Amino acid sequence: MKKVRGSKTNKRIITRVPDEMSTVKHDGHVLRSGKKVVDRSQIGKTSACGAKAEKKPNQFTGHTFKNEKERFRLDGHKLIYHLDRVKDWLEGKRIAPIHIDMGLTKFCNMGCIYCIGVTQGMQRGEMIKGDVLLRFIDDCGRLGVRSIGFIGDGEPTLNPALYDVVMKAKDLGIDIGIATNGLLLDMDRAHDMLRSLTFIRFNLSAAGHESFKKIHKCSISKFDMLIGKIKGLVKIKRENNYCCTIGIQMVLIPENFDQVMKLAALGAEMGVDYLQIKQCSDSEYKELGINHEDYKRVLGDLKKAEGFSREGYMIKAKWNKINILNETDIYRQGFRKYDICYGTPFLGQISGDGKVYPCGPFFGKERFYIDNIHEESYYDIVKGDRYWKVHQDIIDNVDVHYDCTVGCRQDYINKFLWDLKNPPEHINFV
C-alpha cells in the first residue's frame, strides 16, 4: 500500500508501507478505499520505511521545510497583539484607539489620478496648526494611543510641524509612520526622521519618467529628484544603523499595470525594505471608477513580482483586498461576513483640518462629525459623550452591506471583532 501527498516544497512524496506494517484486522471494518489499515505502532521505530537519507513523513528524523518569518504584515490586522484593549472593549469600557490614521493637511503638491483624498474634500492651504499637533501628541500619550499614521488625506510634508511632532511622539513612546510622495521631504531633517519613525513609506506607483507624469500628474524632473531622496535615506539609514523601515507603496490601477515588474526592480535598485502593491480604494459612490474585475489581468505579474523578493527586500501584493470580490458570492454582491462595524473605536480617524470622524469615508458627513482638535483637546474628545454617541450610531444604524465601501480600513478587524461578539456554542471544544 502506498500514500501520495504534496509537501510544502511542492515535491511529491511517496510513503511506502511495507506489508509487515499493514493489517486487515480491524474488527471487520472495511475502509471505503478498500485499502489496508497501517499499523501505527510500528511507525517511527522501524527502518523498514526507508533510509533516513531519503526524507519521508512519519519517520520523525528532524526538520526540513521552514516557513519564512513574516517581517511585515501588510495585509491583515494585528488586534491579537492588543488583547488588553480588546478585553476592555468587550467589557463595555470606553477605550482609546490603539492606532490613529490622520492627515496633517488637506492639500497636496501632486495630482495622482487615483487619489481618494480628492473625494474627501481638498482645500489648498488648510492644515492642522503646529501647536495643536503638539498638544494632540500629548493627549495621545495620556490616552495610551500606541501608534499614529500620518497617511492622508493631504501630503504630510506640507505641514512644517511634521518633524517636531514626530520627534515628540518618539519621546512619548508612540510609534509613528508616514506615507508621503517625498518631493518636499527635508533631507536636512533626515536623521531626526530616521531616528524617530517606525516607518516611512513613499507613494510611488510608476517606475519611469513618462509613467510618473501620467500617474502622478507631476513633472518628469521630479521623478529623478524623488529617487535620489529615497536612495539618500537608505544610505543614511544603513550608515547609522537606524531601525526605521523604508518602503514603497504602489496603488494598482489599469493605467499602471505595466509598471509592476519595473517598480519591483526599481525598489531593489534603491535598496528599500519593501514594495507593497495594493488595490485602489474607491468611494461608495464609485467616483474613481474602479472595477475589481480588471485586477484579473495583472495577477500573473503580481505573482511573478513577489518571486523577486529576497533577504532584506520584500515584494508583497495585498491579495486579500485585490481578490476581495472573488472571495465569496456574498462579497461579490457587496455583502460582508459581519453585520456591524465594531472597529471604529480601535482605529481613530482625523482629517487634515483637525476634524475627528469615526471613519475615513465619513469625512465631510456632518452626521458623523465628532469635534475638532483645534477647538477641543483630543483627550476630552475621546472621553466625551459625543464621541461615543457617534460610534453607537454606527453600530445601531449603519448597514455595512449597503452604506460602506468594499474592503474598508476596518474590514479585517471587523471580522475578528464580530466573531468575538458572536461566539458559537461549545467554545471550550477548541
Side-chain angles (χ1 to χ4, degrees):
M1 184 177 95
K2 64 182 180 181
K3 177 182 176 183
V4 181
R5 71 176 180 88
S7 75
K8 291 181 179 179
T9 57
N10 293 322
K11 295 179 181 178
R12 293 182 67 76
I13 296 177
I14 299 176
T15 304
R16 302 188 183 279
V17 182
D19 290 337
E20 63 267 26
M21 286 183 60
S22 61
T23 176
V24 293
K25 297 178 180 178
H26 217 276
D27 291 336
H29 289 270
V30 178
L31 298 179
R32 62 174 295 278
S33 64
K35 293 181 179 180
K36 297 179 180 180
V37 176
V38 175
D39 182 359
R40 267 75 170 168
S41 67
Q42 300 303 308
I43 292 176
K45 68 179 184 180
T46 175
S47 60
C49 283
K52 185 176 180 179
E54 183 183 354
K55 190 69 179 179
K56 297 180 184 298
N58 285 317
Q59 295 308 297
F60 313 110
T61 55
H63 303 287
T64 50
F65 181 85
K66 184 176 182 181
N67 284 292
E68 191 172 327
K69 184 178 179 181
E70 187 179 31
R71 184 181 177 195
F72 308 114
R73 183 168 301 167
L74 305 176
D75 198 14
H77 75 89
K78 306 182 186 79
L79 272 188
I80 194 71
Y81 304 105
H82 302 278
L83 294 181
D84 58 333
R85 198 70 53 95
V86 174
K87 180 176 180 291
D88 286 344
W89 172 78
L90 284 171
E91 292 174 354
K93 297 179 182 178
R94 292 185 172 187
I95 63 170
I98 297 170
H99 172 79
I100 297 171
D101 281 342
M102 67 182 297
L104 297 183
T105 72
K106 289 287 287 184
F107 62 108
C108 189
N109 55 321
M110 268 191 178
C112 307
I113 61 176
Y114 54 73
C115 180
I116 196 168
V118 174
T119 71
Q120 297 170 346
M122 290 290 200
Q123 184 65 44
R124 186 171 295 278
E126 197 166 27
M127 66 177 70
I128 303 176
K129 295 178 181 178
D131 61 330
V132 173
L133 278 172
L134 292 172
R135 184 186 70 191
F136 167 77
I137 295 298
D138 277 330
D139 287 339
C140 288
R142 293 170 64 197
L143 287 166
V145 173
R146 292 168 183 173
S147 66
I148 304 171
F150 298 137
I151 65 172
D153 31 4
E155 167 55 37
T157 59
L158 288 166
N159 192 315
L162 168 66
Y163 306 99
D164 292 338
V165 167
V166 166
M167 294 176 67
K168 183 179 182 64
K170 174 69 172 179
D171 291 340
L172 292 178
I174 302 171
D175 291 342
I176 298 290
I178 294 179
T180 174
N181 60 45
L183 296 181
L184 296 178
L185 192 69
D186 186 352
M187 293 302 286
D188 290 337
R189 303 295 299 268
H191 288 275
D192 291 339
M193 298 292 276
L194 293 174
R195 269 194 298 260
S196 304
L197 287 172
T198 299
F199 72 83
I200 182 168
R201 185 175 69 221
F202 292 89
N203 297 319
L204 179 60
S205 299
H209 295 91
E210 291 299 328
S211 57
F212 183 78
K213 180 180 179 180
K214 173 184 174 183
I215 301 299
H216 296 290
K217 295 296 181 183
C218 202
S219 65
I220 288 176
S221 62
K222 298 292 178 62
F223 178 76
D224 291 329
M225 181 181 73
L226 175 58
I227 301 306
K229 283 190 175 185
I230 297 174
K231 288 182 176 179
L233 286 177
V234 170
K235 185 174 184 290
I236 293 171
K237 171 188 171 176
R238 290 177 176 174
E239 288 177 346
N240 295 274
N241 199 30
Y242 292 136
C243 294
C244 176
T245 297
I246 301 175
I248 301 173
Q249 175 172 275
M250 178 186 197
V251 178
L252 199 60
I253 52 177
E255 289 87 343
N256 64 5
F257 282 177
D258 63 336
Q259 298 294 299
V260 170
M261 297 303 300
K262 296 174 183 177
L263 200 54
L266 181 59
E269 177 192 332
M270 291 189 292
V272 298
D273 295 298
Y274 69 84
L275 164 63
Q276 171 182 280
I277 306 171
K278 71 180 289 289
Q279 87 296 345
C280 181
S281 299
D282 205 344
S283 71
E284 65 269 43
Y285 308 107
K286 304 295 182 185
E287 290 159 293
L288 296 178
I290 299 302
N291 181 1
H292 281 76
E293 294 294 325
D294 289 337
Y295 289 132
K296 293 179 179 179
R297 304 192 337 244
V298 76
L299 298 183
D301 277 355
L302 292 177
K303 292 175 182 177
K304 186 177 180 182
E306 286 188 334
F308 285 97
S309 297
R310 64 193 188 200
E311 185 176 356
Y313 177 50
M314 183 183 79
I315 303 170
K316 182 68 175 177
K318 297 188 76 171
W319 292 109
N320 286 341
K321 289 194 174 180
I322 289 172
N323 289 326
I324 196 165
L325 295 186
N326 299 322
E327 187 175 349
T328 64
D329 287 335
I330 289 179
Y331 262 63
R332 272 193 288 271
Q333 297 172 38
F335 295 95
R336 308 298 201 274
K337 293 181 177 178
Y338 49 89
D339 294 332
I340 295 174
C341 177
Y342 287 122
T344 53
F346 293 90
L347 180 58
Q349 300 274 338
I350 302 176
S351 184
D353 55 6
K355 292 183 177 180
V356 180
Y357 292 91
C359 179
F362 291 164
F363 284 6
K365 297 177 180 177
E366 288 305 307
R367 172 172 176 166
F368 301 102
Y369 168 68
I370 298 173
D371 213 321
N372 192 316
I373 60 174
H374 285 101
E375 301 167 2
E376 186 69 80
S377 78
Y378 188 66
Y379 182 90
D380 289 337
I381 290 173
V382 173
K383 296 293 185 179
D385 290 339
R386 169 65 182 169
Y387 182 87
W388 292 101
K389 181 180 179 180
V390 171
H391 287 294
Q392 191 63 44
D393 187 14
I394 292 173
I395 291 173
D396 293 339
N397 299 304
V398 170
D399 186 336
V400 297
H401 307 299
Y402 291 96
D403 298 329
C404 299
T405 59
V406 174
C408 69
R409 183 72 168 86
Q410 286 86 0
D411 189 56
Y412 294 128
I413 61 177
N414 274 332
K415 295 174 187 175
F416 176 73
L417 295 173
W418 176 259
D419 285 342
L420 288 179
K421 278 284 193 178
N422 297 275
E425 297 182 17
H426 312 155
I427 61 172
N428 291 332
F429 293 84
V430 298

